[in-house]
Amino acid sequence: MKNVTVNGVRHSVYDQGSGPTILFVHGFPLSHAMWEGQLSALAKRYRVVAPDLRGFGASDVVPGKTTMRQLADDCAALLDALKIAEPVVLCGLSMGGYVAWQFAKHHAAKLKALVLCDTKAAPDSAEAAETRLKMAEHVLNHGTGAVAEAMPAKLFAKATFERQPEIVAGIRHTIEATSREGLAAAQRGMAEREDVRGFLPHIAVPTLVVVGREDSISPVDEMRSVAEAIPKAKFHVIETAGHMAPQEQPAEFNQLLNEFISGLQ
Ligand code: MLT
């Protein structure tokens, strides 16, 4: 991992391989480690860049509120700092997808293609936003333990709990280790994230939309609607996977990504 300071924040960044760049943007409240099944495998063919976003993993924490726009601006600045001049393939999962929309809106010149995994274009309902703010307060006062206990149940397909318990344990560990201020700041930012459904028809780059069949957070039908609204989007459902589809079925996901990127050349 490299340390790269942009926008006044030290970021811990995985940066390996050479060739076209894939920028992996992790979900909440996770770190670059969720892409472990992708990083070294894909670094054989591509330059693979995967930061810990501000407030997560080994990166610096900025208390308060972290907007999705801020995270997109950090990603753009990281590419500049790493001297990556050519447009990249940005692959984001869930919160990483919220960041991807902002990147596509505000840093389009840096974008060659988009991969959206298990994410949403719609904003939070008032009730969902309220729940986030309560969680932020709870975590600040009591730590991340309750989130680490409760959240994995929503993230995976049934079979993943049975066949890959190490993935579930790894996520629990990542959440426990996440800074309470970092987690709360991102929750506040997500609570007021923009409705980007009207932006989807304006996305001009080739796009791959991927969802796990058993994703209960961003369900298949919702993601299909997202793909249908983006002019150059392909849509793929990964079986025996939930919200963490790339982590649960890395071989299938990596093959999809390879085929998608090969088709861009
Ligand atoms: C994620 O996986 O990043 C979260 O489910 C995003 C969210 O809380 O909306």
Side-chain angles (χ1 to χ4, degrees):
M1 298 293 285
K2 291 178 178 167
N3 282 315
V4 186
T5 297
V6 294
N7 298 334
V9 178
R10 187 192 50 80
H11 286 76
S12 179
V13 185
Y14 177 97
D15 177 17
Q16 294 289 325
S18 59
T21 301
I22 312 177
L23 172 65
F24 284 102
V25 186
H26 63 77
F28 167 91
L30 306 175
S31 75
H32 81 285
M34 63 149 284
W35 301 109
E36 197 183 341
Q38 280 68 53
L39 301 179
S40 53
L42 292 168
K44 296 187 179 97
R45 291 179 69 165
Y46 308 104
R47 182 163 177 184
V48 173
V49 177
D52 287 344
L53 299 171
R54 63 167 71 197
F56 295 100
S59 289
D60 280 353
V61 176
V62 182
K65 177 168 65 188
T66 300
T67 63
M68 300 302 102
R69 171 73 192 274
Q70 178 66 66
L71 294 176
D73 291 350
D74 288 345
C75 287
L78 283 171
L79 294 176
D80 288 341
L82 294 170
K83 305 206 180 328
I84 296 171
E86 86 280 11
V88 303
V89 177
L90 194 164
C91 175
L93 181 135
S94 199
M95 182 181 77
Y98 311 156
V99 175
W101 305 132
Q102 294 300 315
F103 192 97
K105 254 186 129 164
H106 300 286
H107 302 284
K110 291 187 185 300
L111 194 60
K112 178 174 182 176
L114 271 176
V115 183
L116 281 325
C117 312
D118 304 275
T119 191
K120 293 168 191 279
D124 278 0
S125 63
E127 193 188 351
E130 191 55 39
T131 304
R132 284 194 198 276
L133 298 182
K134 282 193 187 133
M135 191 216 270
E137 284 312 306
H138 181 88
V139 165
L140 285 173
N141 291 324
H142 304 287
T144 57
V147 181
E149 241 353 274
M151 195 152 176
K154 300 183 206 147
L155 294 180
F156 300 103
K158 195 163 171 283
T160 304
F161 291 100
E162 290 155 14
R163 295 182 206 152
Q164 304 187 85
E166 70 287 354
I167 292 185
V168 181
I171 289 274
R172 190 169 289 129
H173 175 75
T174 300
I175 300 175
E176 267 165 8
T178 299
S179 134
R180 48 177 89 185
E181 287 86 5
L183 190 153
Q187 271 297 38
R188 291 176 179 141
M190 285 194 288
E192 59 178 57
R193 75 184 187 280
E194 199 182 340
D195 181 355
V196 294
R197 286 172 293 185
F199 171 64
L200 302 180
H202 303 285
I203 295 178
V205 294
T207 300
L208 174 65
V209 176
V210 179
V211 63
R213 173 72 70 196
E214 297 172 49
D215 188 340
S216 58
I217 298 176
S218 28
V220 169
D221 285 347
E222 187 171 346
M223 287 226 76
R224 186 181 289 109
S225 309
V226 166
E228 284 169 358
I230 301 174
K232 289 193 214 162
K234 292 180 182 152
F235 178 62
H236 187 92
V237 180
I238 297 191
E239 304 296 335
T240 324
H243 190 59
M244 301 303 296
Q247 205 183 19
E248 296 173 88
Q249 299 296 343
E252 180 174 345
F253 180 78
N254 294 354
Q255 191 184 334
L256 262 181
L257 201 53
N258 272 321
E259 285 169 9
F260 175 66
I261 297 176
S262 303
L264 300 174
Q265 317 301 331

